[in-house]
Amino acid sequence: MGQVTIKVYKNTNEKLPKCYGKYYGKVLHRETLDTDDLANHIMSHGTLYTDDVVLGVTRKLMRCIAELLTEGYKVKLDGIGTLYLAATSTGSDTYEDFDISKNITRIGVKFTADQSNDSLYTARMMRKNTNLTTKIGNSKVTFGEQEGSGSGGNETPGGGAIEEEP
């Protein structure tokens, strides 16, 4: 079972009056792992393939996904989610005035997590397979899975102490 650290912070943005002064939790990330790190992690699970094979397949997958996205396809990785391109644009007064080079301001990759029952990436499965921990001073307190808890998006886990965001 994984362990995720939750950082509790106070919203100090006065432009959000409904949220101002309230406390929220956010995931505290350890670091960002790159492709080599992922390949090494896969190999740590006792795969028969050498690191060059794992890296080669991973890099080929990355290049092929990028190729398919730029050809207009959505790419669904079963049990993980779907990658697709989305555009941001400014409006034009008429259809004839719309100019792709002028009105399209951004093309970006979007991701939607697979929410099917067999996915390990649903909110329900993440909650089930993760212990939540929050920092209190120099110590940590762990909160296990709480029966009957909903999504609990903005609730302070287990009533633990609060560490404000600097």
Side-chain angles (χ1 to χ4, degrees):
M1 181 175 290
Q3 182 170 311
V4 173
T5 301
I6 301 294
K7 175 89 170 182
V8 180
Y9 69 98
K10 184 176 184 178
N11 183 327
T12 57
N13 186 348
E14 294 177 357
K15 294 179 181 179
L16 302 170
K18 290 183 179 180
C19 303
Y20 180 74
K22 294 186 180 180
Y23 292 85
Y24 295 90
K26 67 179 179 179
V27 172
L28 186 63
H29 297 101
R30 297 172 193 223
E31 64 180 294
T32 300
L33 301 178
D34 63 16
T35 305
D36 288 344
D37 297 326
L38 177 60
N40 287 328
H41 179 80
I42 291 169
M43 289 182 42
S44 76
H45 287 283
T47 180
L48 299 174
Y49 301 106
T50 59
D51 61 342
D52 60 329
V53 173
V54 174
L55 277 170
V57 170
T58 304
R59 289 193 173 117
K60 179 62 90 174
L61 174 70
M62 292 167 34
R63 285 190 293 272
C64 287
I65 288 172
E67 176 186 352
L68 293 168
L69 290 174
T70 60
E71 290 178 1
Y73 292 97
K74 289 183 176 182
V75 178
K76 181 179 180 192
L77 301 172
D78 293 334
I80 297 175
T82 304
L83 294 153
Y84 58 96
L85 292 182
T88 303
S89 66
T90 58
S92 66
D93 293 330
T94 66
Y95 179 84
E96 292 77 25
D97 288 341
F98 189 87
D99 180 348
I100 289 175
S101 62
K102 183 172 64 173
N103 294 95
I104 298 295
T105 57
R106 182 178 182 278
I107 299 285
V109 177
K110 298 281 190 167
F111 175 79
T112 302
D114 186 343
Q115 296 298 306
S116 64
N117 289 335
D118 58 343
S119 174
L120 297 175
Y121 298 91
T122 62
R124 176 181 48 80
M125 290 303 289
M126 284 290 160
R127 180 69 178 188
K128 178 181 174 187
N129 294 324
T130 306
N131 280 330
L132 298 178
T133 302
T134 188
K135 292 176 83 174
I136 299 174
N138 292 328
S139 62
K140 288 186 178 183
V141 176
T142 299
F143 302 94
E145 181 182 1
Q146 299 170 354
E147 291 298 324
S149 65
S151 63
N154 293 335
E155 297 176 16
T156 302
I162 294 168
E163 181 176 298
E164 291 188 22
E165 187 75 3

